[in-house]
Amino acid sequence: MSTRRGTDAFSFQVMLGLCALWGMQQVAIKLAAHDVAPILQAALRSGVAALLVGLLMTWRGGWEGLRQGTLRGGLLAGVLFSAEFLLIALALTYTSAGHVAVFLYTAPVFSALGLHLLLPGERLRPLQWLGIAVCFGGIALAFIGGASHTQLDARTLLGDALAVGAGLAWGLTTVVVRGSRLSEAPPSLTLFYQLALCFVLLMGVALATGQTEHVTLTPIAVGSVLFQGIGISFASYLAWFWLLRRYLASNLAVFSFMTPLFGVSMGVLILNEPLTTSFVAGAALVLAGIGLVSGEAWLRRRLGTAPT
């Protein structure tokens, strides 16, 4: 196995593009929400991506992981992945895409807490505990700043809470992958489990709630689903896994904090979403806290305090 190296100019450029794509995801869902309901969008994009990943695995012969006891972990990861996107879809009906982009990326904090309890080698260090405190302090401030101080918007608060729930589901998905046989399985198999089950479960929700009866195939709607399915769920995730095989994960995680910044910026520029001073301050604390949790090893290396 080749040694993973530190990030360089090429990896930074790739991560910049990936973060821009990921930050655009919530904006794309909300942009097409009048034509295709967000839950149905999540189902369709997962179906498109699952088909592409399945074809890629067939071409490369990547189905051997099915015989390695991965089914149980794969199903659980798929349920949590489905819950994540169900909560994202619901959150976007109540709050802004920018808010969802920030609160969704609390996932590393939740995964760090879960892995701390599950795996002895993943114990949190003092700097990471500080990051968790800063992150949740930022969430509290951002919740309060989600509307005017004179009249809190209950819908916005509900949407923000659902977005945090989506971050929790994403974090728990990481815990399941790391704590099960999926940790030794090909990344494409793990991704297939998640996408296929998400398609089945969310399509069931969409059918049960009548969302399939109210679809308008506008260019924006079709473009949104294809962008999410091909550009994000298929191409960008494979590019991310490719980077993880070649570069240190902790270094890449630091760059990934650009995603909420892109999400907020695009929400303002494309959807004309408003920003409040309190939300911006709270979001900055959330990102700082996530940075301390996920980038702690990188920070210690930069400061020269990492063990040799």
Side-chain angles (χ1 to χ4, degrees), residues 103 134-147 149 276-286:
F103 292 128
V134 170
C135 182
F136 283 108
I139 290 174
L141 179 58
F143 265 49
I144 295 171
H149 293 293
T276 65
T277 303
S278 295
F279 174 73
V280 172
L285 287 176
V286 169

Side-chain angles (χ1 to χ4, degrees), residues 11-284:
S11 62
F12 173 75
Q13 292 170 9
V14 175
M15 282 301 302
L16 190 66
L18 292 179
C19 290
L21 285 174
W22 296 336
M24 184 63 187
Q25 179 174 230
Q26 282 69 241
V27 175
I29 294 174
K30 193 143 191 169
L31 195 61
H34 292 296
D35 302 317
V36 181
I39 293 175
L40 182 57
Q41 285 189 59
L44 293 174
R45 56 96 79 166
S46 296
V48 170
L51 176 62
L52 294 175
V53 172
L55 291 173
L56 180 65
M57 291 173 64
T58 301
W59 176 48
R60 292 184 173 180
W63 296 102
E64 66 276 1
L66 291 173
R67 299 189 296 270
Q68 298 173 357
T70 60
L71 182 60
R72 183 176 178 181
L75 292 177
L76 182 54
V79 169
L80 288 169
F81 185 81
S82 303
E84 175 194 341
F85 278 93
L86 175 62
L87 290 170
I88 289 173
L90 292 173
L92 286 169
T93 64
Y94 296 106
T95 191
S96 69
H99 282 214
V100 174
V102 170
F103 292 128
L104 176 62
Y105 273 79
T106 57
V109 173
F110 292 117
S111 62
L113 285 170
L115 292 171
H116 172 81
L117 298 173
L118 184 66
L119 300 176
E122 296 283 354
R123 298 296 183 190
L124 291 169
R125 298 182 177 88
L127 195 60
Q128 291 174 301
W129 282 115
L130 174 62
I132 288 173
V134 170
C135 182
F136 283 108
I139 290 174
L141 179 58
F143 265 49
I144 295 171
S148 67
H149 293 293
T150 57
Q151 183 180 5
L152 288 176
D153 185 348
R155 288 178 58 85
T156 298
L157 292 176
L158 174 59
D160 291 351
L162 290 169
V164 173
L168 172 61
W170 183 7
L172 291 178
T173 303
T174 302
V175 174
V176 169
V177 172
R178 290 289 304 278
S180 69
R181 293 192 177 183
L182 288 175
S183 62
E184 304 298 328
S188 56
L189 178 61
T190 301
L191 182 58
F192 180 80
Y193 275 129
Q194 294 172 321
L195 292 169
L197 204 56
C198 186
F199 169 70
V200 172
L201 294 179
L202 294 195
M203 183 58 74
V205 173
L207 288 169
T209 55
Q211 293 186 15
T212 56
E213 300 172 5
H214 304 283
V215 176
T216 305
L217 296 179
T218 62
I220 290 179
V222 174
S224 175
V225 172
L226 292 179
F227 167 71
Q228 294 175 63
I230 300 173
I232 296 178
S233 297
F234 178 68
S236 77
Y237 289 172
L238 290 179
W240 168 249
F241 290 135
W242 182 86
L243 287 175
L244 285 175
R245 288 196 297 268
R246 289 160 176 80
Y247 296 93
L248 294 171
S250 59
N251 291 16
L252 295 175
V254 173
F255 290 147
S256 69
F257 305 147
M258 295 184 291
T259 301
L261 300 179
F262 278 112
V264 172
S265 300
M266 292 178 183
V268 172
L269 295 174
I270 297 175
L271 301 175
N272 296 316
E273 294 179 342
L275 286 177
T276 65
T277 303
S278 295
F279 174 73
V280 172

